[in-house]
């Protein structure tokens, strides 16, 4: 990889961390309403899978994939307005957090029903296939969500038609408080791919190199018409399930162990090995990401809160006659 | 005992788990975590992992497995982490649980309870605010309850657990810690199928249930000088206590129905139609309804307030009906 790309990837990792860090801080200060689901610790997965996508590819992020929005091209200002529930957010305040996609940039907003986006991603990939479009859909889901029937149903269909979709399981070992051993009886979620007739692979989700390599292969395979791949990224969320969760169902040692495998630190070590001027890169990056995040917060803060009657907008493509009661 | 609404729910489960070894509790994070809202706190320690079961994330599995257990004589309490996710278990409820007895010609019962936090007013957005009771009131074979007080929350849940039919039990998360109530120390049950006359009055009747009961009671007190309001809390939405509803409609001649779920296809339509048909000659005005506007429950506060009923809208609706 070129130095420019190495630095660019670093910048994304740092921007996501800074962006989410700021959201957590705002939440602590009581400036946000609703749930905040930090993906701190999982940045390498979203950067790795989204960075080399084309503008007209699609991603289907989950509740912790705020970073994917940024890398795929969402305007940080609008993304922050979305978190604030303001009119400039993607949902225009109708819902917050990641329940609003940026369709112009190929980012599909999720419902709260875990894994409900996987069948949608499969449907989209089916269109890419039958229209012979050289595009891919990347669908993220948690290891907890892998217990839902939607996951099986989507993968089964994708396997039948060899669809250009990549299923990315972010296995952070806990679904809220529920550990993997109470979630499924296999060692790896990726082991299930065989049952759908495509390839499954396990990677170190904290190592951006590993993720990029697996992502590159899977995306390439999808574009070439060779069908789906299930990539399971083993990673860890530092925070609780939401900011309200103290996460005392896990041990301190475990958290410390994972912190020592921090994806950003690992990338810094790599940059150092390549003999780049890491001190300068760090400083420059810090300044840039801080500026972007501050601008986003200022914009979101200043964005108008929607007014009551706006609740009735966007229900139907064409207004229907709903007689006032 | 002075307890909160959520403590009432916890106590009901605790007492029934202790009383009957066939009762068990299943849901996401109900064990070690004690539930997302702490409704099941301490129960794993007390009853063990065989009876307080942390389930994989699959609502259809949770309900379906509950049906299997029920056929074996067990009495599962099935928690939906948020009631919104009940949609993912919908098929198992309406096609598997609700029809179980009917399609076996009465050979078996289906004593399951599906419970979870419903309701808005907490800026939960589209998927953490729903009031899906009407979906289920369309389905024969189910019973549907929605308590408004801590006393009822406990007594109705205990009845639901002992009931041989599938009961969908809608808790209101807005009430969890906002209301506290003195309840008896000794055991009691609240029967399924009976409404509560919360306040007697002569001029008009407000029929409601769940969280709006509190706003309606406040309106009845605040407006006492203006209009003498009778308040009926349905508590059970399937089957509805028609005797109580009709007696009150006949007595006051004016009825307003208030619920938080949206009007279109809501419970209010059913109640209004029944009163219009059976009490037509006693009515002094149209049967009126107040519910949420027919939109999803939005996140931003001003929009949420616009969509959901509130104190002000209730007062206004009462004035409008009283003026007839
Ligand atoms: C169908 C459904 N059931 C329950 C929930 C409540 N819930 C939200 S996130 C979560 C845990 C998700 O775990 P996982 O899929 O592993 O993702 P993670 O949060 O660990 O990133 C649960 C149970 C939900 N959103 N959707």
């Amino acid at each position: 990889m070129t130095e420019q790309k190495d630095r660019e990837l670093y910048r994304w990792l740092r921007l996501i961390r800074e962006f989410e860090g700021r959201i957590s801080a705002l939440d602590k200060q009581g400036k946000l309403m609703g749930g905040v689901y930090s993906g701190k610790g999982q940045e390498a997965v979203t950067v790795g899978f989204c960075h080399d996508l084309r503008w007209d590819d699609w991603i289907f992020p989950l509740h912790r994939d705020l970073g994917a929005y940024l890398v795929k091209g969402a305007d940080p200002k609008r993304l922050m307005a979305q978190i604030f529930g303001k009119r400039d957010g993607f949902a225009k305040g109708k819902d917050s957090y990641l329940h609003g996609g940026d369709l112009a940039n190929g980012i599909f907003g999720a419902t709260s029903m875990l894994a409900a986006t996987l069948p949608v991603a499969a449907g989209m990939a089916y269109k890419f296939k039958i229209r012979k479009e050289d595009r891919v859909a990347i669908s993220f889901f948690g290891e907890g969500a892998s217990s839902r029937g939607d996951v099986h149903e989507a993968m089964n269909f994708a396997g039948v038609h060899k669809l250009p979709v990549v299923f990315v399981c972010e296995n952070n070992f806990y679904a809220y408080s529920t550990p993997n051993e109470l979630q499924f009886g296999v060692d790896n979620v990726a082991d299930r791919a065989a049952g759908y007739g495509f390839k499954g692979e396990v990677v170190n989700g904290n190592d951006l190199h590993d993720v990029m390599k697996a992502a590159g292969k899977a995306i390439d395979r999808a574009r070439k018409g060779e069908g789906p791949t299930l990539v399971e990224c083993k990673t860890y969320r530092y925070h609780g399930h939401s900011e309200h969760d103290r996460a005392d169902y896990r041990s301190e040692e475990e958290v410390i162990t994972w912190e020592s495998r921090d994806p950003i630190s690992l990338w810094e070590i790599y940059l150092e090995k390549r003999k780049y001027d890491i001190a300068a890169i760090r400083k420059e990056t810090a300044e840039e990401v801080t500026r972007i995040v501050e601008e986003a917060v200022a914009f979101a803060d200043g964005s108008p809160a929607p007014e009551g009657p706006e609740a009735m907008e966007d229900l139907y493509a064409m207004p229907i006659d709903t007689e006032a009661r | 005992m002075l307890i909160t609404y959520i403590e009432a729910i916890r106590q009901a489960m605790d007492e029934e788990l202790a009383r009957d070894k066939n009762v068990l509790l299943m849901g996401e994070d109900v064990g070690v975590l004690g539930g997302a809202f702490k409704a099941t706190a301490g129960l794993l320690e007390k009853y063990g992992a065989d009876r307080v079961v942390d389930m994989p994330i699959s609502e259809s599995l949770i309900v379906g497995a509950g049906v299997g257990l029920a056929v074996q004589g067990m009495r599962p309490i099935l928690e939906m982490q948020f009631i919104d996710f009940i949609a993912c278990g919908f098929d198992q409820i309406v096609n598997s649980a609700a029809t179980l007895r009917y399609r076996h010609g009465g050979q078996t019962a289906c004593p399951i309870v599906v419970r979870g936090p419903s309701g808005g007013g907490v800026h939960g957005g589209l998927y953490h605010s729903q009031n899906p009771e009407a979906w289920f009131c369309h389905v024969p074979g189910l019973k549907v309850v929605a308590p408004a007080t801590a006393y009822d929350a406990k007594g109705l849940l205990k009845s639901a657990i002992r009931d041989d039919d599938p009961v969908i039990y809608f808790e209101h998360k807005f009430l969890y810690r906002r209301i506290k109530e003195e309840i008896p120390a000794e055991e009691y049950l609240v029967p399924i199928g009976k409404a509560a006359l919360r306040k007697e009055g002569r001029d008009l009747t407000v029929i409601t249930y769940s969280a709006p009961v509190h706003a309606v009671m406040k309106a009845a007190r605040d407006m006492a000088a203006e209009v003498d309001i009778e308040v009926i809390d349905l508590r059970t939405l399937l089957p509805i206590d028609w005797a109580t509803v009709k007696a009150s409609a006949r007595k006051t001649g004016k009825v307003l129905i208030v619920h938080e779920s949206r009007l279109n296809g809501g419970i209010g339509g059913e109640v209004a139609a029944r009163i219009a048909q059976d009490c037509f000659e006693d009515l002094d005005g149209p049967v009126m309804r107040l519910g949420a506007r027919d939109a999803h429950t939005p996140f931003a506060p001003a929009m949420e307030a616009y969509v959901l009923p509130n104190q002000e809208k209730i007062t206004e609706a009462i004035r409008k009906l009283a003026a007839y």
Side-chain angles (χ1 to χ4, degrees), chain B:
Chain B
M1 235 185 322
L2 186 67
I3 60 165
T4 58
Y5 182 93
I6 192 159
E7 172 58 14
I9 291 164
R10 204 200 59 75
Q11 281 184 11
M13 291 191 281
D14 193 352
E15 289 178 16
E16 293 305 300
L17 281 158
R19 192 187 61 83
D20 179 352
K21 64 177 184 346
N22 290 325
V23 173
L24 77 170
L25 172 66
M26 304 171 96
E28 293 150 17
D29 308 292
V30 295
V32 175
L33 190 73
F37 289 90
K38 299 288 168 208
T40 59
L43 300 180
L44 172 70
E45 291 76 0
K46 229 163 149 175
Y47 301 102
D50 282 353
R51 295 184 65 204
V52 179
V53 191
D54 273 326
M55 292 291 282
I57 299 174
S58 171
E59 288 71 17
S60 54
L61 164 76
I62 294 170
V63 178
V67 172
L69 283 152
V71 173
Q72 284 297 308
M74 305 291 283
R75 298 188 164 271
I77 308 166
L78 310 166
E79 177 173 300
M80 303 283 113
Q81 197 158 75
F82 277 84
I83 209 67
D84 311 66
F85 308 137
I86 202 170
C88 303
F90 191 75
D91 173 51
Q92 284 291 342
I93 294 176
V94 306
N95 290 318
S96 182
T99 61
L100 180 70
R101 186 175 165 78
Y102 197 69
R103 72 179 191 272
H104 289 95
Q107 294 176 69
T108 180
C110 189
I112 65 169
V113 181
V114 182
R115 50 158 285 270
S118 64
V122 296
H123 316 309
L126 305 187
Y127 309 109
H128 293 80
S129 305
Q130 294 183 59
N131 293 290
E133 60 270 19
W135 300 352
F136 299 98
C137 288
H138 199 59
V139 183
L142 298 180
K143 292 178 181 171
V144 178
V145 300
T149 66
Y151 180 91
D152 282 0
K154 182 169 179 182
L156 270 176
L157 183 50
K158 285 171 69 90
S159 294
I161 294 165
R162 296 184 198 188
D163 198 289
D164 279 338
D165 295 316
V167 181
I168 318 296
Y169 177 97
F170 291 102
E171 308 161 12
H172 202 298
K173 69 176 87 66
F174 188 82
L175 302 179
Y176 273 164
R177 292 183 170 82
R178 281 186 179 82
I179 59 167
K180 270 205 169 117
E181 195 182 355
E182 199 65 49
I183 65 157
E186 59 278 9
E187 175 172 282
Y188 68 92
L189 298 172
V190 172
I192 291 175
K194 289 296 293 173
L197 178 60
R198 295 270 172 227
K199 181 188 168 297
E200 285 197 66
R202 278 183 323 244
D203 299 339
L204 66 83
T205 300
V206 181
I207 297 173
T208 183
Y209 59 89
S210 193
V213 167
H214 300 277
V216 169
M217 287 300 284
K218 183 173 179 337
R221 287 191 299 272
D222 293 352
M223 300 171 80
E226 237 176 289
V227 49
D228 187 15
I229 299 170
E230 178 146 307
V231 180
I232 291 179
D233 173 1
L234 288 177
R235 302 196 289 200
T236 298
L237 309 177
L238 183 64
I240 284 175
D241 178 359
W242 292 118
T244 301
V245 165
K246 286 195 250 176
S248 182
R250 291 194 173 114
K251 174 178 156 193
T252 64
K254 288 183 180 177
V255 180
L256 169 69
I257 302 143
V258 178
H259 54 60
E260 189 183 297
S261 65
R262 52 192 84 100
L263 278 185
N264 191 15
I267 312 294
E270 190 58 38
V271 176
R274 187 68 176 260
I275 294 171
Q277 177 187 295
D278 293 357
C279 311
F280 184 70
E281 271 138 36
D282 300 292
L283 293 179
D284 298 321
V287 182
M288 290 174 62
R289 289 177 298 153
L290 174 67
R293 289 177 198 267
D294 292 322
H296 306 286
T297 308
F299 174 78
M303 286 197 285
E304 188 185 26
Y306 185 79
V307 167
L308 297 183
N310 57 23
Q311 197 72 48
E312 197 185 320
K313 294 179 202 176
I314 289 170
T315 307
E316 190 189 304
I318 291 172
R319 284 220 170 93
K320 201 164 148 194
L321 180 59
Y324 261 92

Side-chain angles (χ1 to χ4, degrees), chain A residues 42 62-64 112-114 142-145 148 172 174-176 237 241, chain B residues 28-29 57 59 81 85 88:
Chain A
Q42 303 186 191
L62 67 106
H63 54 285
R64 231 173 272 297
S112 255
M113 313 303 123
L114 290 166
E143 84 291 345
R148 284 209 55 222
N172 57 21
Y174 293 91
Y176 205 152
R237 63 163 153 79
H241 166 62
Chain B
E28 293 150 17
D29 308 292
I57 299 174
E59 288 71 17
Q81 197 158 75
F85 308 137
C88 303

